[in-house]
Amino acid sequence: MKRSKHTIRQTAVRAIVMGLGAWVLAAPLVSRADDTPNPCAALKRIVSAAPQGFATLGPDDGRAVAQPYGTDASCTGSHDTYECQWSSNPGAGSVADALQAVAADIAACLPQATHDQNTPGLQHFYIGAKGARTEISATTAGDTRLKIVVSGK
């Protein structure tokens, strides 16, 4: 039995539709660049909480700051400070290299911040006038750990 051009065309269209349907169903499983943690959004959210205190922030609010450089971030907030600590990924280079990268993120994400201390073990920034300042300290915490502390007045 010979198929007509119309039947072949219908079969081809069905195959394409089924293939597109399968692709659409699988699409949510695909990782996209915009699904990655955003250190800037996290830093801005933390800094914007400073005037009211950090108690409203949870552990997840700061993890995106650490995720480019480590995956075991532990973050806590209180009225006066918000702190995250994490182990540096081996792929991030030395802990000093990872600290420099965190400082670069802070500088890029918070252009209004003044970078007033830059050492291999401490990066310090502040935003605002004396007496009403938000301070950001990124430090090494041992040979393999990093820590960021944001405090506000």
Side-chain angles (χ1 to χ4, degrees), residues 23-51:
W23 180 78
V24 168
L25 289 174
L29 302 174
V30 176
S31 178
R32 291 178 172 61
D34 59 5
D35 291 342
T36 57
N38 185 337
C40 286
L43 284 165
K44 289 175 183 178
R45 185 172 39 257
I46 295 165
V47 167
S48 70

PDB file of all heavy atoms in Angstrom, residues 23-51:
ATOM      1  N   TRP A  23       9.763  18.175  24.234  1.00  0.00           N
ATOM      2  CA  TRP A  23      10.746  19.197  24.568  1.00  0.00           C
ATOM      3  C   TRP A  23      10.168  20.186  25.588  1.00  0.00           C
ATOM      4  O   TRP A  23      10.823  20.540  26.556  1.00  0.00           O
ATOM      5  CB  TRP A  23      11.182  19.930  23.298  1.00  0.00           C
ATOM      6  CG  TRP A  23      12.185  20.999  23.574  1.00  0.00           C
ATOM      7  CD1 TRP A  23      13.511  20.839  23.815  1.00  0.00           C
ATOM      8  CD2 TRP A  23      11.937  22.403  23.662  1.00  0.00           C
ATOM      9  NE1 TRP A  23      14.108  22.053  24.046  1.00  0.00           N
ATOM     10  CE2 TRP A  23      13.158  23.033  23.948  1.00  0.00           C
ATOM     11  CE3 TRP A  23      10.802  23.187  23.515  1.00  0.00           C
ATOM     12  CZ2 TRP A  23      13.273  24.399  24.109  1.00  0.00           C
ATOM     13  CZ3 TRP A  23      10.927  24.559  23.669  1.00  0.00           C
ATOM     14  CH2 TRP A  23      12.152  25.147  23.965  1.00  0.00           C
ATOM     15  N   VAL A  24       8.926  20.617  25.386  1.00  0.00           N
ATOM     16  CA  VAL A  24       8.285  21.548  26.306  1.00  0.00           C
ATOM     17  C   VAL A  24       8.145  20.917  27.688  1.00  0.00           C
ATOM     18  O   VAL A  24       8.372  21.559  28.707  1.00  0.00           O
ATOM     19  CB  VAL A  24       6.909  22.007  25.762  1.00  0.00           C
ATOM     20  CG1 VAL A  24       6.109  22.744  26.817  1.00  0.00           C
ATOM     21  CG2 VAL A  24       7.104  22.888  24.537  1.00  0.00           C
ATOM     22  N   LEU A  25       7.769  19.647  27.739  1.00  0.00           N
ATOM     23  CA  LEU A  25       7.633  18.971  29.031  1.00  0.00           C
ATOM     24  C   LEU A  25       8.981  18.844  29.740  1.00  0.00           C
ATOM     25  O   LEU A  25       9.050  18.907  30.960  1.00  0.00           O
ATOM     26  CB  LEU A  25       7.009  17.588  28.858  1.00  0.00           C
ATOM     27  CG  LEU A  25       5.526  17.589  28.483  1.00  0.00           C
ATOM     28  CD1 LEU A  25       5.074  16.162  28.187  1.00  0.00           C
ATOM     29  CD2 LEU A  25       4.682  18.205  29.573  1.00  0.00           C
ATOM     30  N   ALA A  26      10.037  18.675  29.002  1.00  0.00           N
ATOM     31  CA  ALA A  26      11.363  18.523  29.596  1.00  0.00           C
ATOM     32  C   ALA A  26      12.008  19.866  29.920  1.00  0.00           C
ATOM     33  O   ALA A  26      12.928  19.934  30.723  1.00  0.00           O
ATOM     34  CB  ALA A  26      12.278  17.730  28.657  1.00  0.00           C
ATOM     35  N   ALA A  27      11.528  20.952  29.340  1.00  0.00           N
ATOM     36  CA  ALA A  27      12.153  22.261  29.497  1.00  0.00           C
ATOM     37  C   ALA A  27      12.331  22.688  30.948  1.00  0.00           C
ATOM     38  O   ALA A  27      13.375  23.227  31.305  1.00  0.00           O
ATOM     39  CB  ALA A  27      11.374  23.311  28.707  1.00  0.00           C
ATOM     40  N   PRO A  28      11.379  22.481  31.868  1.00  0.00           N
ATOM     41  CA  PRO A  28      11.617  22.905  33.247  1.00  0.00           C
ATOM     42  C   PRO A  28      12.782  22.182  33.916  1.00  0.00           C
ATOM     43  O   PRO A  28      13.319  22.662  34.895  1.00  0.00           O
ATOM     44  CB  PRO A  28      10.309  22.564  33.967  1.00  0.00           C
ATOM     45  CG  PRO A  28       9.283  22.501  32.893  1.00  0.00           C
ATOM     46  CD  PRO A  28      10.019  22.037  31.665  1.00  0.00           C
ATOM     47  N   LEU A  29      13.192  21.052  33.408  1.00  0.00           N
ATOM     48  CA  LEU A  29      14.303  20.319  33.985  1.00  0.00           C
ATOM     49  C   LEU A  29      15.651  20.874  33.550  1.00  0.00           C
ATOM     50  O   LEU A  29      16.677  20.531  34.108  1.00  0.00           O
ATOM     51  CB  LEU A  29      14.208  18.837  33.589  1.00  0.00           C
ATOM     52  CG  LEU A  29      12.913  18.135  33.990  1.00  0.00           C
ATOM     53  CD1 LEU A  29      12.899  16.725  33.413  1.00  0.00           C
ATOM     54  CD2 LEU A  29      12.758  18.119  35.488  1.00  0.00           C
ATOM     55  N   VAL A  30      15.644  21.744  32.550  1.00  0.00           N
ATOM     56  CA  VAL A  30      16.872  22.302  32.018  1.00  0.00           C
ATOM     57  C   VAL A  30      17.292  23.489  32.882  1.00  0.00           C
ATOM     58  O   VAL A  30      16.488  24.336  33.221  1.00  0.00           O
ATOM     59  CB  VAL A  30      16.653  22.759  30.553  1.00  0.00           C
ATOM     60  CG1 VAL A  30      17.885  23.439  30.008  1.00  0.00           C
ATOM     61  CG2 VAL A  30      16.270  21.576  29.686  1.00  0.00           C
ATOM     62  N   SER A  31      18.562  23.553  33.249  1.00  0.00           N
ATOM     63  CA  SER A  31      19.079  24.662  34.028  1.00  0.00           C
ATOM     64  C   SER A  31      19.348  25.843  33.105  1.00  0.00           C
ATOM     65  O   SER A  31      19.909  25.686  32.026  1.00  0.00           O
ATOM     66  CB  SER A  31      20.362  24.235  34.723  1.00  0.00           C
ATOM     67  OG  SER A  31      20.883  25.306  35.436  1.00  0.00           O
ATOM     68  N   ARG A  32      18.964  27.006  33.544  1.00  0.00           N
ATOM     69  CA  ARG A  32      19.189  28.223  32.776  1.00  0.00           C
ATOM     70  C   ARG A  32      20.111  29.144  33.569  1.00  0.00           C
ATOM     71  O   ARG A  32      20.155  29.079  34.796  1.00  0.00           O
ATOM     72  CB  ARG A  32      17.861  28.910  32.512  1.00  0.00           C
ATOM     73  CG  ARG A  32      16.985  28.153  31.555  1.00  0.00           C
ATOM     74  CD  ARG A  32      15.658  28.875  31.383  1.00  0.00           C
ATOM     75  NE  ARG A  32      14.813  28.335  30.359  1.00  0.00           N
ATOM     76  CZ  ARG A  32      14.310  27.126  30.309  1.00  0.00           C
ATOM     77  NH1 ARG A  32      14.615  26.261  31.233  1.00  0.00           N
ATOM     78  NH2 ARG A  32      13.526  26.741  29.342  1.00  0.00           N
ATOM     79  N   ALA A  33      20.786  30.029  32.879  1.00  0.00           N
ATOM     80  CA  ALA A  33      21.705  30.951  33.538  1.00  0.00           C
ATOM     81  C   ALA A  33      20.977  31.811  34.563  1.00  0.00           C
ATOM     82  O   ALA A  33      21.527  32.152  35.597  1.00  0.00           O
ATOM     83  CB  ALA A  33      22.400  31.834  32.508  1.00  0.00           C
ATOM     84  N   ASP A  34      19.715  32.163  34.302  1.00  0.00           N
ATOM     85  CA  ASP A  34      18.995  32.998  35.239  1.00  0.00           C
ATOM     86  C   ASP A  34      18.505  32.236  36.474  1.00  0.00           C
ATOM     87  O   ASP A  34      17.929  32.805  37.375  1.00  0.00           O
ATOM     88  CB  ASP A  34      17.844  33.723  34.565  1.00  0.00           C
ATOM     89  CG  ASP A  34      16.838  32.773  33.928  1.00  0.00           C
ATOM     90  OD1 ASP A  34      16.963  31.547  34.076  1.00  0.00           O
ATOM     91  OD2 ASP A  34      15.917  33.271  33.261  1.00  0.00           O
ATOM     92  N   ASP A  35      18.744  30.927  36.535  1.00  0.00           N
ATOM     93  CA  ASP A  35      18.391  30.125  37.711  1.00  0.00           C
ATOM     94  C   ASP A  35      19.504  30.118  38.748  1.00  0.00           C
ATOM     95  O   ASP A  35      19.304  29.654  39.859  1.00  0.00           O
ATOM     96  CB  ASP A  35      18.118  28.669  37.312  1.00  0.00           C
ATOM     97  CG  ASP A  35      16.857  28.517  36.502  1.00  0.00           C
ATOM     98  OD1 ASP A  35      16.016  29.443  36.532  1.00  0.00           O
ATOM     99  OD2 ASP A  35      16.714  27.479  35.834  1.00  0.00           O
ATOM    100  N   THR A  36      20.669  30.624  38.391  1.00  0.00           N
ATOM    101  CA  THR A  36      21.790  30.596  39.312  1.00  0.00           C
ATOM    102  C   THR A  36      21.585  31.637  40.408  1.00  0.00           C
ATOM    103  O   THR A  36      20.915  32.641  40.206  1.00  0.00           O
ATOM    104  CB  THR A  36      23.113  30.875  38.578  1.00  0.00           C
ATOM    105  OG1 THR A  36      23.012  32.135  37.927  1.00  0.00           O
ATOM    106  CG2 THR A  36      23.431  29.781  37.581  1.00  0.00           C
ATOM    107  N   PRO A  37      22.149  31.405  41.568  1.00  0.00           N
ATOM    108  CA  PRO A  37      22.015  32.373  42.657  1.00  0.00           C
ATOM    109  C   PRO A  37      22.599  33.721  42.243  1.00  0.00           C
ATOM    110  O   PRO A  37      23.598  33.788  41.541  1.00  0.00           O
ATOM    111  CB  PRO A  37      22.837  31.761  43.785  1.00  0.00           C
ATOM    112  CG  PRO A  37      23.009  30.340  43.423  1.00  0.00           C
ATOM    113  CD  PRO A  37      22.934  30.251  41.936  1.00  0.00           C
ATOM    114  N   ASN A  38      21.992  34.769  42.710  1.00  0.00           N
ATOM    115  CA  ASN A  38      22.413  36.107  42.348  1.00  0.00           C
ATOM    116  C   ASN A  38      23.021  36.799  43.572  1.00  0.00           C
ATOM    117  O   ASN A  38      22.285  37.242  44.456  1.00  0.00           O
ATOM    118  CB  ASN A  38      21.210  36.896  41.823  1.00  0.00           C
ATOM    119  CG  ASN A  38      21.593  38.252  41.319  1.00  0.00           C
ATOM    120  OD1 ASN A  38      22.616  38.811  41.705  1.00  0.00           O
ATOM    121  ND2 ASN A  38      20.768  38.809  40.466  1.00  0.00           N
ATOM    122  N   PRO A  39      24.360  36.904  43.632  1.00  0.00           N
ATOM    123  CA  PRO A  39      24.974  37.559  44.781  1.00  0.00           C
ATOM    124  C   PRO A  39      24.518  39.009  44.935  1.00  0.00           C
ATOM    125  O   PRO A  39      24.351  39.478  46.057  1.00  0.00           O
ATOM    126  CB  PRO A  39      26.470  37.490  44.516  1.00  0.00           C
ATOM    127  CG  PRO A  39      26.673  36.579  43.373  1.00  0.00           C
ATOM    128  CD  PRO A  39      25.359  36.407  42.691  1.00  0.00           C
ATOM    129  N   CYS A  40      24.303  39.710  43.832  1.00  0.00           N
ATOM    130  CA  CYS A  40      23.901  41.121  43.927  1.00  0.00           C
ATOM    131  C   CYS A  40      22.538  41.266  44.583  1.00  0.00           C
ATOM    132  O   CYS A  40      22.354  42.116  45.456  1.00  0.00           O
ATOM    133  CB  CYS A  40      23.890  41.768  42.539  1.00  0.00           C
ATOM    134  SG  CYS A  40      25.543  42.084  41.900  1.00  0.00           S
ATOM    135  N   ALA A  41      21.585  40.467  44.169  1.00  0.00           N
ATOM    136  CA  ALA A  41      20.252  40.556  44.771  1.00  0.00           C
ATOM    137  C   ALA A  41      20.321  40.259  46.265  1.00  0.00           C
ATOM    138  O   ALA A  41      19.683  40.945  47.073  1.00  0.00           O
ATOM    139  CB  ALA A  41      19.294  39.593  44.067  1.00  0.00           C
ATOM    140  N   ALA A  42      21.112  39.266  46.645  1.00  0.00           N
ATOM    141  CA  ALA A  42      21.251  38.915  48.062  1.00  0.00           C
ATOM    142  C   ALA A  42      21.923  40.052  48.836  1.00  0.00           C
ATOM    143  O   ALA A  42      21.451  40.436  49.917  1.00  0.00           O
ATOM    144  CB  ALA A  42      22.047  37.625  48.210  1.00  0.00           C
ATOM    145  N   LEU A  43      23.011  40.591  48.312  1.00  0.00           N
ATOM    146  CA  LEU A  43      23.697  41.685  48.998  1.00  0.00           C
ATOM    147  C   LEU A  43      22.790  42.899  49.161  1.00  0.00           C
ATOM    148  O   LEU A  43      22.733  43.507  50.233  1.00  0.00           O
ATOM    149  CB  LEU A  43      24.961  42.083  48.230  1.00  0.00           C
ATOM    150  CG  LEU A  43      26.144  41.141  48.368  1.00  0.00           C
ATOM    151  CD1 LEU A  43      27.191  41.421  47.289  1.00  0.00           C
ATOM    152  CD2 LEU A  43      26.761  41.272  49.762  1.00  0.00           C
ATOM    153  N   LYS A  44      22.062  43.245  48.113  1.00  0.00           N
ATOM    154  CA  LYS A  44      21.157  44.398  48.187  1.00  0.00           C
ATOM    155  C   LYS A  44      20.044  44.161  49.207  1.00  0.00           C
ATOM    156  O   LYS A  44      19.666  45.074  49.943  1.00  0.00           O
ATOM    157  CB  LYS A  44      20.587  44.696  46.806  1.00  0.00           C
ATOM    158  CG  LYS A  44      21.627  45.276  45.862  1.00  0.00           C
ATOM    159  CD  LYS A  44      21.080  45.447  44.464  1.00  0.00           C
ATOM    160  CE  LYS A  44      22.166  45.963  43.535  1.00  0.00           C
ATOM    161  NZ  LYS A  44      21.692  46.091  42.155  1.00  0.00           N
ATOM    162  N   ARG A  45      19.502  42.955  49.248  1.00  0.00           N
ATOM    163  CA  ARG A  45      18.439  42.631  50.202  1.00  0.00           C
ATOM    164  C   ARG A  45      18.977  42.744  51.640  1.00  0.00           C
ATOM    165  O   ARG A  45      18.320  43.297  52.518  1.00  0.00           O
ATOM    166  CB  ARG A  45      17.903  41.221  49.938  1.00  0.00           C
ATOM    167  CG  ARG A  45      16.725  40.830  50.791  1.00  0.00           C
ATOM    168  CD  ARG A  45      16.065  39.511  50.392  1.00  0.00           C
ATOM    169  NE  ARG A  45      16.955  38.437  49.977  1.00  0.00           N
ATOM    170  CZ  ARG A  45      17.169  38.061  48.712  1.00  0.00           C
ATOM    171  NH1 ARG A  45      16.555  38.671  47.715  1.00  0.00           N
ATOM    172  NH2 ARG A  45      17.986  37.070  48.438  1.00  0.00           N
ATOM    173  N   ILE A  46      20.176  42.242  51.875  1.00  0.00           N
ATOM    174  CA  ILE A  46      20.762  42.293  53.219  1.00  0.00           C
ATOM    175  C   ILE A  46      21.031  43.737  53.630  1.00  0.00           C
ATOM    176  O   ILE A  46      20.663  44.164  54.724  1.00  0.00           O
ATOM    177  CB  ILE A  46      22.058  41.450  53.284  1.00  0.00           C
ATOM    178  CG1 ILE A  46      21.730  39.975  53.065  1.00  0.00           C
ATOM    179  CG2 ILE A  46      22.769  41.662  54.610  1.00  0.00           C
ATOM    180  CD1 ILE A  46      22.946  39.112  52.751  1.00  0.00           C
ATOM    181  N   VAL A  47      21.666  44.502  52.748  1.00  0.00           N
ATOM    182  CA  VAL A  47      21.999  45.897  53.062  1.00  0.00           C
ATOM    183  C   VAL A  47      20.731  46.728  53.268  1.00  0.00           C
ATOM    184  O   VAL A  47      20.669  47.568  54.168  1.00  0.00           O
ATOM    185  CB  VAL A  47      22.909  46.493  51.970  1.00  0.00           C
ATOM    186  CG1 VAL A  47      23.019  47.999  52.087  1.00  0.00           C
ATOM    187  CG2 VAL A  47      24.291  45.853  52.056  1.00  0.00           C
ATOM    188  N   SER A  48      19.698  46.474  52.479  1.00  0.00           N
ATOM    189  CA  SER A  48      18.464  47.261  52.630  1.00  0.00           C
ATOM    190  C   SER A  48      17.757  46.956  53.950  1.00  0.00           C
ATOM    191  O   SER A  48      16.975  47.761  54.436  1.00  0.00           O
ATOM    192  CB  SER A  48      17.527  47.036  51.448  1.00  0.00           C
ATOM    193  OG  SER A  48      16.988  45.737  51.479  1.00  0.00           O
ATOM    194  N   ALA A  49      18.038  45.807  54.568  1.00  0.00           N
ATOM    195  CA  ALA A  49      17.439  45.454  55.851  1.00  0.00           C
ATOM    196  C   ALA A  49      18.133  46.152  57.021  1.00  0.00           C
ATOM    197  O   ALA A  49      17.578  46.208  58.125  1.00  0.00           O
ATOM    198  CB  ALA A  49      17.487  43.942  56.058  1.00  0.00           C
ATOM    199  N   ALA A  50      19.321  46.685  56.806  1.00  0.00           N
ATOM    200  CA  ALA A  50      20.132  47.234  57.896  1.00  0.00           C
ATOM    201  C   ALA A  50      19.409  48.284  58.750  1.00  0.00           C
ATOM    202  O   ALA A  50      19.467  48.192  59.974  1.00  0.00           O
ATOM    203  CB  ALA A  50      21.436  47.804  57.346  1.00  0.00           C
ATOM    204  N   PRO A  51      18.720  49.255  58.185  1.00  0.00           N
ATOM    205  CA  PRO A  51      18.095  50.267  59.048  1.00  0.00           C
ATOM    206  C   PRO A  51      17.054  49.704  60.023  1.00  0.00           C
ATOM    207  O   PRO A  51      16.895  50.218  61.123  1.00  0.00           O
ATOM    208  CB  PRO A  51      17.436  51.226  58.056  1.00  0.00           C
ATOM    209  CG  PRO A  51      18.201  51.050  56.791  1.00  0.00           C
ATOM    210  CD  PRO A  51      18.588  49.591  56.773  1.00  0.00           C
TER     211      PRO A  51
END
